[in-house]
Amino acid sequence: MKIIHFVSGIKSGGVEQFLYNYSFRINKKFDIDEYIVYQHNANDKSLNKLKRAGNTCIRIASKTNNPIKNLMDTYRIISKLKPDIVHAHMNLVNFIPLFAAFILKVPVRISHSHIATDNIKCKFLIPFFKRLNIYFSNVLFSCGDSAGKYMYGKRKFTIIRNAIDLNQFKFNIDNRNKCRGKYHINSRTVVFGNIGRLTKQKNQLFLLHIFNEFQKKHPDSILFIVGTGELKKTIDNKINNLKLSNKVYVVSPIDNTGPFYSMIDMFILPSLYEGLPVTSIEAQVSELPLLISSGIDKNVKLLKTTKILDLDNSYLWEKSMSAANPARDRTFTEFEHFKKYDINLCYEDLYGIYHKLVKNLKDHDE
């Protein structure tokens, strides 16, 4: 079986983590060739991870800078590789590779929605793009219920969960002590964490605002932001202007985030919009209290300690941060309701779906 995944770029986000988690296991166990076609300069760490997972990664022209060449490159790659499946992870513009796959009669053409809210400026184009996604695909995937309904309306879609290795994210006291020791953080200090690209979508400037207000009343607290992106300089300037340079750490993406979750006391995700972010599952497996925005799929709430808040009430976010407690017991044994996010079960399910789709749609075409 041969699959080509199309993504907008290889950064350090949830789509890249999704592809790594699944392809690493699928490529290892099954007779399959997976390709990842991307645009723009790749994040080296993410690119190398995807290559180590057994994927062949191919860069093409940017659809923004050179749309004609982008479409030509897309057509040429699909024509040359002759895949059984084209799996598009580009959200509202999934139709671009799916159009080429449609013309070339690729048997399985998957539109995958990873968002639940508009993410382009030209609002009048959105309904048109959604219709094109549906027209040129013959299979509809989504990361969650909200993202599926957003992209496909009342049409039937299959949820492919942003699954993880549960054991990797279980709370570990040794990891906590080691990480805190690295940054010279004592056991009483309250530590907040955020993981995500440094972009407008992830809303880290709002996070800095509420942390600054919290800091005024609770000076023995620290914030870690893990990520890289186009707003890095803006965020650094904001930290300096707020005089928080010794209280906020902005660190590069981490290969293994399990120890990071053990180190912190609360995870905060104030994104403007998301589908169902994998970081929110990881943090809950580590039994962290979460504060997440109402722009995220509400099905992400798996623990009572997870709070969903509106972004127009910064005071409520600041007040809710008081629930972070470094002395909190995080000995967690109730894993049953996380089983549906266990990658060691989910990857075989996804391969089974791929296999069935190829067989059924090829037989149908014949």
Side-chain angles (χ1 to χ4, degrees):
M1 189 189 304
K2 191 179 291 184
I3 303 173
I4 306 179
H5 299 275
F6 282 86
V7 298
S8 293
I10 294 178
K11 301 174 185 175
S12 56
V15 173
E16 294 86 338
Q17 192 60 45
F18 170 92
L19 287 171
Y20 174 79
N21 287 344
Y22 277 96
S23 65
F24 173 76
R25 291 162 176 83
I26 288 175
N27 291 337
K28 200 171 182 180
K29 182 166 182 179
F30 300 105
D31 182 16
I32 192 168
D33 293 315
E34 295 200 73
Y35 299 81
I36 298 175
V37 177
Y38 67 99
Q39 306 160 51
H40 318 299
N41 288 324
N43 175 278
D44 287 338
K45 280 188 177 181
S46 296
L47 180 63
N48 290 331
K49 257 178 85 168
L50 289 169
K51 287 179 178 178
R52 289 198 305 271
N55 302 296
T56 300
C57 298
I58 304 168
R59 184 180 177 184
I60 62 173
S62 162
K63 65 182 179 296
T64 303
N65 299 331
N66 199 333
I68 301 301
K69 190 171 189 311
N70 173 270
L71 187 57
M72 289 174 62
D73 286 351
T74 298
Y75 184 94
R76 193 177 299 117
I77 286 170
I78 296 173
S79 178
K80 179 182 177 182
L81 294 177
K82 296 179 172 53
D84 301 292
I85 299 172
V86 164
H87 190 159
H89 303 265
M90 296 164 62
N91 297 311
L92 285 167
V93 291
N94 281 341
F95 66 87
I96 296 175
L98 293 175
F99 167 69
F102 178 84
I103 296 297
L104 290 165
K105 295 181 167 51
V106 175
V108 181
R109 303 179 304 278
I110 301 172
S111 170
H112 198 141
S113 175
H114 294 272
I115 60 169
T117 311
D118 302 342
N119 70 340
I120 62 173
K121 293 179 182 179
C122 301
K123 303 297 182 186
F124 69 94
L125 289 174
I126 291 171
F128 181 57
F129 285 178
K130 289 179 181 180
R131 285 196 292 271
L132 290 176
N133 284 345
I134 293 166
Y135 183 80
F136 290 119
S137 62
N138 54 8
V139 181
L140 306 177
F141 280 1
S142 172
C143 65
D145 191 58
S146 295
K149 289 176 179 175
Y150 164 77
M151 190 69 72
Y152 313 122
K154 295 181 180 180
R155 289 172 177 82
K156 185 179 179 181
F157 56 87
T158 300
I159 292 177
I160 306 298
R161 302 194 186 280
N162 292 343
I164 61 173
D165 183 347
L166 298 181
N167 289 323
Q168 182 182 341
F169 298 99
K170 289 170 68 174
F171 175 74
N172 184 294
I173 188 64
D174 291 334
N175 285 338
R176 178 179 178 84
N177 293 337
K178 184 176 179 181
C179 289
R180 287 198 166 219
K182 176 182 176 181
Y183 292 101
H184 309 290
I185 303 169
N186 67 51
S187 60
R188 299 178 303 279
T189 301
V190 178
V191 183
F192 299 95
N194 169 271
I195 299 176
R197 297 189 314 277
L198 307 182
T199 64
K200 182 180 178 181
Q201 175 200 349
K202 301 296 182 178
N203 207 16
Q204 282 103 349
L205 292 176
F206 175 83
L207 174 59
L208 289 174
H209 168 70
I210 60 173
F211 176 73
N212 183 51
E213 295 303 312
F214 181 86
Q215 248 281 315
K216 292 173 183 176
K217 301 167 189 173
H218 308 275
D220 193 10
S221 56
I222 290 174
L223 169 64
F224 279 83
I225 298 174
V226 180
T228 186
E230 63 269 19
L231 290 186
K232 174 71 164 64
K233 188 173 181 181
T234 303
I235 288 170
D236 286 343
N237 289 338
K238 179 81 169 177
I239 291 168
N240 290 330
N241 291 339
L242 292 172
K243 297 181 171 54
L244 291 173
S245 55
N246 64 336
K247 294 292 183 178
V248 179
Y249 295 83
V250 180
V251 299
S252 298
I254 303 167
D255 283 337
N256 177 14
T257 53
F260 172 80
Y261 291 115
S262 289
M263 177 184 73
I264 67 177
D265 304 303
M266 175 177 278
F267 191 73
I268 305 178
L269 202 63
S271 304
L272 298 177
Y273 58 88
E274 296 255 7
L276 205 153
V278 66
T279 53
S280 62
I281 306 301
E282 294 170 350
Q284 286 178 98
V285 170
S286 189
E287 215 195 352
L288 279 168
L290 265 67
L291 303 183
I292 62 174
S293 78
S294 55
I296 297 172
D297 190 332
K298 292 175 177 56
N299 290 312
V300 78
K301 181 179 170 68
L302 300 173
L303 298 177
K304 292 178 181 178
T305 50
T306 296
K307 280 193 172 184
I308 300 172
L309 305 172
D310 290 330
L311 289 169
D312 58 3
N313 191 342
S314 61
Y315 171 73
L316 187 56
W317 284 78
E318 179 204 334
K319 183 179 177 183
S320 299
M321 290 170 72
S322 299
N325 179 5
R328 185 170 175 268
D329 181 18
R330 288 165 65 184
T331 305
F332 194 43
T333 56
E334 298 297 325
F335 266 85
E336 285 308 309
H337 53 305
F338 286 107
K339 286 295 183 183
K340 61 185 177 182
Y341 290 101
D342 186 350
I343 189 63
N344 295 306
L345 302 175
C346 291
Y347 86 92
E348 292 195 352
D349 292 340
L350 178 57
Y351 177 81
I353 292 170
Y354 281 152
H355 189 271
K356 186 176 180 181
L357 286 169
V358 170
K359 184 179 185 305
N360 289 348
L361 291 170
K362 274 189 173 180
D363 288 349
H364 181 267
D365 290 342
E366 290 171 1

